Amino acid sequence: MTQLERAKRGVTTEEVKKVALEEGVDVETVRSRVAAGKIVIPANKNRKSKIVGIGKGLGTKINASIGTSTDIADILMEVEKAKVAEQHGADTLMDLSVGGDVRGIRRAVMEAINLPIGTVPLYEAFAIAIEKYGSAVDMPEELLWDVLEMQCEEGVAFMAIHCGINLMTIERLKKQGYRYGGLVSKGGSYLTAWMLHNNKENPLYEKFDRVVEILKKHDVVLSLGNGFRAGAIHDSSDRVQIQELIINCELAEIGRNMGCQTMVEGPGHIPIDEIEANVLLEKKMSGESPFYMLGPITTDIAPGYDHITSAIGAALSSAYGADFICYVTPAEHLGLPFPEDVKHGVITARIAAYIGDMVKLKKRDRDKKMSIARRDLDWHKQFELAIAKDEAVRIRSERQPSAEDSCTMCGQFCASRILKGMFDDEIKGGGKL
């Protein structure tokens, strides 16, 4: 049985206990929310990996995406990127490879790290179709089911599957007219082309029960992908995107009623004044299924710094109730990310998620401890509390002050040194005067 099915029967699994311990949440609360589909635990029974809980009442989790393209397919670099993501605190990793030995890359990554691995099965199915049949639109439907089954058997923990694209959403796109950013989802674009070329309904929507049964068999979390997400600020929250969100929320409910763990994916490019509404819609329409926000990117004009534009969106998304954030690297919109890009993407997303959790979960004790450490010029404690300790240590070591307890920002004019000890008699626990 899946985590969801066991939780519904009142069984508290070891994975549920582990999540409760890691998060500092009551075990029964975690179990009941898994049973209700408000928390998912991506832990394919075919592969042992780090246990991660995603959903209501838990810390916002970070996914790092890696993967080859048809231009750059270096298996050693992908393994290095996976290790860098794990080292710097990613909670999960998605392999989105479309070039080279896609299956071999996925296996190498799985062997190299302990994080739950996610995929977009459509990518591999269309890559095989192009190689075997010369075109993605000539993909036989059965190939799609074969890829789903194979990836589940290999130990993939969660899958982004484009079930919300159907003939109705395509018709809505046609009526709506041109999008400023077009379609930016690879899976969504290829699937739309396949449907139009073959004049067929999306098999992932039409035979949704088959999707669920395959994933249930291995307890793989179904992440309902947003193939019609906005790729431009001026396309955000349009009729096509919201239509797909409605369908995905319906399917999330159907899937969990069938015993499959489900979550819903969100935009995309979106201005900050629309983030709260998107989170609210997903939560209300899906029965509080975990919400997986891709980015989100909050302006279109910052290539090279899109890890910053997405951090702004991620912090707000988390604060409003999103549960899972897909990082963005500085290379977004420019090229395939390298290991250094992955590092910056993970750290930036973790900071954003933490800022959001300060609001969502009211977690601010770590900030109080950091404030006291700064006041007391306790550098070792400051480094211990820092999200990116190595970077903090590096910067300080490169700028050695004349007095060890200060820093080169102020030197002998350090405000904390001037008043150090002066109020010791008045200061009682918590740093209050």
Side-chain angles (χ1 to χ4, degrees):
M1 290 191 293
T2 64
Q3 291 287 336
L4 173 60
E5 289 173 318
R6 283 180 283 178
K8 279 185 173 180
R9 295 192 177 194
V11 177
T12 302
T13 65
E14 290 303 314
E15 291 83 2
V16 165
K17 293 176 183 176
K18 177 72 172 176
V19 169
L21 180 64
E22 288 288 324
E23 301 278 347
V25 178
D26 178 70
V27 172
E28 178 55 24
T29 297
V30 175
R31 186 207 62 78
S32 64
R33 288 177 180 170
V34 170
K38 299 178 182 181
I39 290 175
V40 298
I41 303 175
N44 187 319
K45 65 181 184 180
N46 299 319
R47 175 177 178 263
K48 289 186 177 180
S49 63
K50 175 184 175 183
I51 301 302
V52 176
I54 301 168
K56 185 173 181 178
L58 308 181
T60 306
K61 302 304 184 300
I62 298 301
N63 175 74
S65 292
I66 63 167
T68 59
S69 72
T70 52
D71 286 324
I72 304 176
D74 184 338
I75 189 169
L76 294 179
M77 184 171 74
E78 296 310 315
V79 169
E80 182 184 356
K81 285 154 65 173
K83 290 180 177 178
V84 167
E86 184 172 45
Q87 175 189 345
H88 290 284
D91 297 293
T92 66
L93 184 126
M94 291 193 78
D95 175 21
L96 307 181
S97 294
V98 293
D101 180 4
V102 173
R103 190 177 186 187
I105 292 164
R106 183 170 60 252
R107 287 177 168 177
V109 167
M110 284 183 167
E111 291 173 0
I113 64 172
N114 190 43
L115 300 180
I117 303 293
T119 60
V120 181
L122 271 179
Y123 289 2
E124 185 170 11
F126 282 128
I128 293 171
I130 291 169
E131 182 180 351
K132 290 186 67 175
Y133 306 105
S135 171
V137 296
D138 291 322
M139 177 194 73
E141 182 185 320
E142 202 58 35
L143 174 59
L144 187 53
W145 306 114
D146 291 343
V147 169
L148 277 177
E149 190 75 58
M150 176 185 67
Q151 291 191 3
C152 286
E153 289 173 353
E154 289 179 359
V156 171
F158 63 103
M159 290 182 174
I161 301 183
H162 297 75
C163 301
I165 296 176
N166 61 14
L167 293 174
M168 179 171 58
T169 48
I170 291 176
E171 186 61 28
R172 181 144 285 138
L173 179 62
K174 289 178 180 178
K175 288 181 178 179
Q176 178 175 301
Y178 186 71
R179 261 184 163 190
Y180 290 94
L183 295 184
V184 297
S185 162
K186 290 194 290 288
S189 296
Y190 271 109
L191 183 56
T192 299
W194 184 92
M195 292 166 63
L196 293 174
H197 177 80
N198 294 285
N199 194 29
K200 287 185 177 181
E201 181 58 276
N202 173 10
L204 299 170
Y205 172 78
E206 189 175 42
K207 301 174 183 176
F208 181 68
D209 57 341
R210 187 172 180 182
V211 174
V212 171
E213 289 303 326
I214 292 173
L215 270 62
K216 262 184 65 177
K217 187 163 50 175
H218 307 274
D219 200 5
V220 174
V221 174
L222 169 58
S223 183
L224 289 149
N226 52 350
F228 284 158
R229 67 181 180 272
I233 292 299
H234 282 80
D235 295 330
S236 66
S237 305
D238 65 4
R239 294 193 296 268
V240 179
Q241 179 195 313
I242 298 302
Q243 177 65 54
E244 185 182 32
L245 178 63
I246 292 170
I247 294 170
N248 279 339
C249 288
E250 289 176 347
L251 294 177
E253 183 177 45
I254 293 169
R256 71 169 173 261
N257 287 341
M258 293 175 66
C260 183
Q261 298 190 85
T262 62
M263 58 185 174
V264 177
E265 296 185 9
H269 290 233
I270 183 170
I272 59 174
D273 59 337
E274 294 178 17
I275 292 174
E276 184 178 15
N278 273 255
V279 175
L280 177 65
L281 282 172
E282 188 276 341
K283 289 295 181 180
K284 286 184 73 72
M285 292 192 299
S286 70
E288 295 189 283
S289 285
F291 199 21
Y292 181 17
M293 295 287 273
L294 309 186
I297 290 174
T298 52
T299 179
D300 296 331
I301 62 168
Y305 292 90
D306 276 324
H307 58 311
I308 305 299
T309 69
S310 71
I312 294 166
L316 287 167
S317 299
S318 171
Y320 291 134
D323 308 285
F324 195 23
I325 299 293
C326 187
Y327 84 160
V328 170
T329 77
E332 184 81 6
H333 301 113
L334 300 171
L336 195 76
F338 289 165
E340 189 68 12
D341 298 311
V342 171
K343 171 186 173 181
H344 289 303
V346 170
I347 293 172
T348 305
R350 286 183 59 215
I351 293 168
Y354 178 84
I355 291 169
D357 284 346
M358 290 173 67
V359 177
K360 181 171 66 178
L361 302 178
K362 309 300 180 188
K363 287 189 173 182
R364 305 183 185 187
D365 287 349
R366 187 169 172 180
D367 293 81
K368 181 187 289 186
K369 292 174 182 177
M370 177 66 88
S371 298
I372 294 170
R374 284 180 175 154
R375 181 199 68 197
D376 295 343
L377 300 171
D378 184 343
W379 293 96
H380 293 294
K381 188 66 174 178
Q382 290 180 53
F383 296 146
E384 178 186 312
L385 292 165
I387 287 179
K389 174 183 176 180
D390 292 347
E391 187 68 5
V393 170
R394 180 190 67 78
I395 291 173
R396 178 165 170 77
S397 66
E398 290 176 353
R399 300 161 174 81
Q400 284 296 326
S402 56
E404 185 59 31
D405 62 346
S406 67
C407 76
T408 55
M409 172 63 81
C410 301
Q412 64 179 342
F413 281 85
C414 173
S416 294
R417 287 186 71 211
I418 292 168
L419 295 177
K420 190 172 184 180
M422 193 170 292
F423 295 103
D424 282 357
D425 290 341
E426 289 85 0
I427 295 176
K428 305 297 179 185
K432 295 181 180 180
L433 290 178

